[in-house]
Amino acid sequence: MKSTTQNQTYTRSMAFHVPVNSQPQSVSKWLLLIGLILSVYMLTLQPVMAHGEKNLEPYVRMRTIQWYDVQWSKQKFNVNEEVTVTGKFHVAEDWPISVPKPDAAFLNISTPGPVLIRTERYLNGKPFMNSVALLPGGDYDFKVVLKGRLPGHYHIHPFFNLRDAGQVMGPGAWLDITGNEADFSNNVQTINGEMIDMETYGLSNGIFWHSFWALLGTAWLLWWVRRPLFIARYRMLQAGLENELITPLDRNIGKAILIGVPVLVLVFYTITVNKYPKAIPLQTSLDQILPLPAKVNAGVVEVETLRAEYRIPERSMKLSLKIKNGSDKPIQIGEFATGSVRFLNKVVPEPDQSNTESVVAAEGLSLDNLTPIQPGEQRTVLLTAGDALWESERLDGLINDADSRIGGLLFFFDPDGERYISSITSAVIPKFN
Amino acid sequence: MSANLSNRIFRPYTGEKARIARAYDYLVLVLALFLFIGSFHLHFALTVGDWDFWVDWKDRQWWPAVTPLMGITFPAAVQAVLWTNFRLPLGATLCVACLSIGTWIARIFAYHMWNYFPINMVLPSTLLPSALVLDAVLMMSNSLTVTAIFGGSAFALLFYPSNWPIFGMFHVPVEAGNSQMTVADMFGFQYIRTGMPEYLRIIERGTLRTYGQVAAPLSAFFSALLSTLMYALWWFIGKWFATTRYLKRI
Ligand SMILES: [Cu+2]
């Protein structure tokens, strides 16, 4: 900008050029920035609500939280109606070295937003509101009570958020919430006995205070914006007319703000403190809940994994197991479960313990010897868990992991339907042909 | 050019010139509005993040420390431009007003309508009282140093008390699951967030924990100290951004 604006004819285009020197930047630089910001902005606004069942590495899914017997009390219910999900899980003894120990774990429900609310949650029969430390090798059962909030058809899983490790999904189920969104109500009783509506509590109060300050802020902005702004003020400033830019009235208003705003803030603060004298800080604590008496590896049936081979062309895992039946009845292997896939032995009719659609290979489990293991007998069994699910559930990636060990649960049944569960773990050897 | 002008009698624009200058004012204002709504809100969401999103993350330690510290950035930069070039003492209020607009839009559309959270669970905090005082300090003092020290401190110190009228009522205790919780904690427990487990909240960690009742004022003073430095830093960022030197080389 070299022209002095004085002696030249003033054209529109020049009007836009005059302040370039003074003015923050040409319009194009700003537009570029706006475009960039808006595009990043739109990306971050996208709700991150993906399921992520298969996201974690196979060894993490197989050797951390081992879910079973997950059951929904019902799969079709109304808005405002309660539904319960119960289930059990074993925390693998062979917890992967690369995954932080489960010192803070949060039993969660995967939902697309709060289409349900969680009203109660129990671990081993004890209510828990925060996170909990889990013990490797421990057995737990859980119960979560939920209440329908938004009608719809949803696939929902219980899962664990593990600190610094990620989300380990339990089996999912389709839930249908019917009825009318407007019927939803959620009242909570405070310690004073007051019933509050969680859907609206504090909303109008919050809007009031935001409006109050917005009003003052807008008044201040309008006070300045009503005058000629950038070009005029820039010229006056350059001309040394600084004193005319801030009038005595402006300075008085400034004083009023300097004194008035802090005083108002303190007055409103004091009023609120007196209105809610029992206010407490946000609560946080780790709930202390010990494991149940052993359910898995309870000592009746003992299993040792001798060798695990994964045959890539056949997509099958061959497990060589040394099994000792310490019960007083013959037992058979009915199921092998790993990483949320269940391989069933069709010759052993298993009482159905679950109404979730866990991923099932109905005939995926076969044995080299089908005769039941007699009481007191010790036998080495060759178990084959074969199905394309190894691939579709992305569990076969195991052989490419740094930690290529498998973990899972074996379910034994005796003729009376009694169930014994053992966990297995072993390094996996790939067979390429 | 300035020497040129000041030697003569200053003649304000009239007629067509004044009209065009005014149009230019509005153009810049509208652009600034969109720019700040987008950029400041994004900056805020990325830095303060969950501590400003959720009612059960607005604790008495981290929240009053980090919010003013990140909230003073854009106001300082915009003040640097608007005050040094135009003697307009509205940079902070303008930025924070834009932040509020952006935040409310995000809370209503992204959190409430797309992800079904009740709005009261994601109420924004306000920095407007802080911003008004910051603008007034700059106008009265006409000094970077005074504004950084006194304005920056006031900006941080006013934050917690000015938000307590909005959030105090969420700290009423509730008995649930054999434990005492606040209403805010109940929101976190009941309204399911899949990626937001409870243990992620940094609450009462580190040395401040031992100060118990005075944790919030202590956090505010800590934030005031840092905000002073942050103000000065962003003032210079603002000045740097407002130069054409770098653009001309392109
Ligand atoms: Cu699913």
Side-chain angles (χ1 to χ4, degrees):
Chain A
M1 244 356 268
K2 37 210 167 315
S3 69
T4 53
T5 51
Q6 293 273 302
N7 308 326
Q8 302 201 352
T9 24
Y10 212 85
T11 64
R12 177 171 283 261
S13 71
M14 288 186 66
F16 287 91
H17 279 286
V18 166
V20 161
N21 226 356
S22 60
Q23 180 53 31
Q25 288 334 301
S26 70
V27 174
S28 65
K29 185 176 174 185
W30 288 100
L31 282 178
L32 196 74
L33 199 69
I34 293 173
L36 190 78
I37 284 157
L38 282 183
S39 48
V40 177
Y41 190 59
M42 290 318 287
L43 285 176
T44 56
L45 270 185
Q46 295 295 322
V48 186
M49 288 289 168
H51 250 32
E53 290 106 319
K54 303 174 195 172
N55 283 354
L56 285 179
E57 297 92 328
Y59 71 92
V60 181
R61 282 182 280 151
M62 292 173 175
R63 282 165 46 215
T64 51
I65 309 292
Q66 298 169 331
W67 305 85
Y68 59 102
D69 293 356
V70 176
Q71 180 89 22
W72 289 84
S73 63
K74 51 194 151 190
Q75 287 176 266
K76 194 176 166 102
F77 51 95
N78 264 313
V79 166
N80 252 349
E81 204 176 320
E82 285 194 337
V83 61
T84 305
V85 56
T86 52
K88 305 186 178 96
F89 60 90
H90 178 69
V91 183
E93 288 86 354
D94 184 22
W95 191 274
I97 186 74
S98 57
V99 177
K101 292 283 180 288
D103 294 329
F106 188 83
L107 176 58
N108 213 336
I109 303 289
S110 79
T111 58
V115 298
L116 298 141
I117 63 162
R118 169 171 44 215
T119 54
E120 298 163 47
R121 184 176 57 172
Y122 302 88
L123 194 64
N124 296 349
K126 298 190 180 73
F128 81 116
M129 308 300 280
N130 298 310
S131 305
V132 70
L134 300 174
L135 290 181
D139 287 299
Y140 299 84
D141 64 36
F142 68 88
K143 175 177 153 187
V144 182
V145 183
L146 303 155
K147 189 162 122 169
R149 181 163 176 256
L150 275 174
H153 180 63
Y154 310 107
H155 201 240
I156 296 195
H157 308 236
F159 74 100
F160 259 104
N161 297 100
L162 302 176
R163 182 158 70 196
D164 302 329
Q167 309 182 344
V168 182
M169 285 283 163
W174 283 104
L175 302 185
D176 280 292
I177 305 177
T178 51
N180 192 345
E181 184 184 339
D183 293 340
F184 180 78
S185 72
N186 179 21
N187 295 314
V188 162
Q189 191 175 27
T190 69
I191 273 181
N192 303 333
E194 187 198 350
M195 287 302 276
I196 59 170
D197 177 0
M198 294 289 274
E199 295 279 306
T200 57
Y201 182 74
L203 179 59
S204 53
N205 176 68
I207 291 174
F208 170 80
W209 287 112
H210 272 277
S211 314
F212 176 82
W213 291 114
L215 219 63
L216 289 193
T218 310
W220 176 249
L221 291 178
L222 287 180
W223 177 253
W224 295 98
V225 168
R226 74 203 162 97
R227 313 176 198 178
L229 295 176
F230 303 109
I231 299 171
R233 293 180 75 91
Y234 181 78
R235 289 181 71 237
M236 284 173 74
L237 190 61
Q238 296 304 313
L241 300 172
E242 182 169 354
N243 289 339
E244 287 175 34
L245 290 174
I246 305 291
T247 65
L249 180 57
D250 293 336
R251 299 188 68 84
N252 282 336
I253 291 175
K255 279 179 205 155
I257 289 177
L258 276 186
I259 297 162
V261 168
V263 166
L264 278 181
V265 165
L266 285 181
V267 167
F268 298 147
Y269 172 75
T270 312
I271 291 173
T272 315
V273 167
N274 288 323
K275 196 171 172 196
Y276 302 102
K278 295 199 179 78
I280 54 167
L282 298 179
Q283 299 294 297
T284 187
S285 59
L286 207 58
D287 294 300
Q288 284 303 315
I289 297 171
L290 292 175
L292 296 171
K295 304 277 179 211
V296 172
N297 306 331
V300 181
V301 177
E302 283 166 33
V303 179
E304 187 189 336
T305 319
L306 302 175
R307 185 179 169 88
E309 266 180 23
Y310 183 69
R311 293 176 182 263
I312 294 163
E314 297 162 29
R315 288 177 290 207
S316 70
M317 186 72 72
K318 289 199 185 303
L319 297 167
S320 174
L321 306 162
K322 190 157 89 181
I323 299 166
K324 185 169 190 303
N325 180 5
S327 79
D328 53 5
K329 298 211 174 65
I331 54 167
Q332 283 178 295
I333 301 175
E335 177 181 342
F336 172 61
T338 184
S340 82
V341 180
R342 303 169 65 196
F343 297 91
L344 303 185
N345 184 354
K346 65 173 175 183
V347 301
V348 180
E350 181 180 339
D352 201 358
Q353 312 270 351
S354 171
N355 64 346
T356 52
E357 311 90 39
S358 40
V359 192
V360 174
E363 301 181 1
L365 191 153
S366 55
L367 300 167
D368 61 338
N369 181 351
L370 284 173
T371 48
I373 304 165
Q374 297 307 310
E377 183 188 352
Q378 177 170 309
R379 183 193 294 175
T380 299
V381 171
L382 186 65
L383 180 154
T384 306
D387 199 282
L389 286 172
W390 285 108
E391 202 171 287
S392 59
E393 291 295 306
R394 289 194 232 145
L395 288 173
D396 59 348
L398 183 67
I399 53 173
N400 296 320
D401 280 334
D403 184 351
S404 54
R405 292 178 67 84
I406 189 177
L409 297 177
L410 270 183
F411 294 81
F412 297 89
F413 296 88
D414 74 9
D416 300 340
E418 184 70 37
R419 186 173 69 171
Y420 303 99
I421 311 171
S422 294
S423 72
I424 63 136
T425 177
S426 170
V428 175
I429 296 147
K431 291 286 168 187
F432 296 96
N433 43 45
Chain B
M1 157 167 137
S2 53
N4 211 349
L5 271 175
S6 52
N7 287 343
R8 302 161 192 219
I9 300 158
F10 181 78
R11 276 180 292 142
Y13 288 156
T14 49
E16 176 75 350
K17 273 188 184 177
R19 211 181 56 74
I20 290 167
R22 196 65 182 141
Y24 182 81
D25 284 349
Y26 286 126
L27 177 77
V28 171
L29 274 179
V30 169
L31 279 178
L33 204 70
F34 281 107
L35 179 80
F36 297 150
I37 287 175
S39 60
F40 192 20
H41 173 222
L42 181 69
H43 163 89
F44 208 70
L46 292 177
T47 52
V48 184
D50 292 312
W51 282 274
D52 195 60
F53 298 157
W54 311 103
V55 68
D56 63 324
W57 284 59
K58 292 184 166 74
D59 67 318
R60 58 181 184 177
Q61 239 182 42
W62 186 251
W63 178 59
V66 77
T67 315
L69 187 60
M70 292 301 145
I72 204 168
T73 53
F74 275 53
V78 175
Q79 276 191 341
V81 177
L82 294 187
W83 183 254
T84 43
N85 294 317
F86 312 104
R87 289 292 182 271
L88 274 174
L90 51 72
T93 308
L94 180 68
C95 281
V96 167
C98 289
L99 173 67
S100 291
I101 294 170
T103 309
W104 272 102
I105 291 173
R107 300 299 153 85
I108 290 171
F109 289 97
Y111 287 79
H112 181 61
M113 296 176 82
W114 293 355
N115 287 311
Y116 321 123
F117 290 101
I119 300 184
N120 51 350
M121 183 179 178
V122 291
L123 273 181
S125 53
T126 183
L127 277 165
L128 271 173
S130 301
L132 281 167
V133 170
L134 190 62
D135 276 338
V137 170
L138 179 63
M139 182 182 85
M140 303 300 285
S141 69
N142 187 18
S143 152
L144 165 61
T145 317
V146 172
T147 310
I149 294 173
F150 295 99
S153 300
F155 191 86
L157 292 175
L158 284 173
F159 174 72
Y160 196 80
S162 55
N163 279 281
W164 194 247
I166 303 176
F167 297 105
M169 62 195 296
F170 290 95
H171 288 246
V172 169
V174 173
E175 186 190 329
N178 281 350
S179 57
Q180 170 183 251
M181 297 178 87
T182 64
V183 172
D185 294 319
M186 283 303 283
F187 273 101
F189 179 77
Q190 292 192 327
Y191 291 84
I192 297 168
R193 292 170 298 201
T194 50
M196 197 64 51
E198 182 275 334
Y199 58 73
L200 284 182
R201 302 187 291 174
I202 299 179
I203 298 182
E204 314 268 316
R205 267 195 208 167
T207 47
L208 277 179
R209 181 190 59 225
T210 50
Y211 294 92
Q213 289 308 308
V214 293
L218 217 64
S219 262
F221 276 106
F222 173 66
S223 184
L225 188 70
L226 291 180
S227 293
T228 298
L229 303 172
M230 195 66 134
Y231 183 89
L233 176 69
W234 278 74
W235 175 281
F236 289 114
I237 291 177
K239 291 205 72 151
W240 171 81
F241 193 75
T243 54
T244 49
R245 234 178 325 143
Y246 300 96
L247 191 74
K248 278 181 177 165
R249 289 194 189 148
I250 296 169

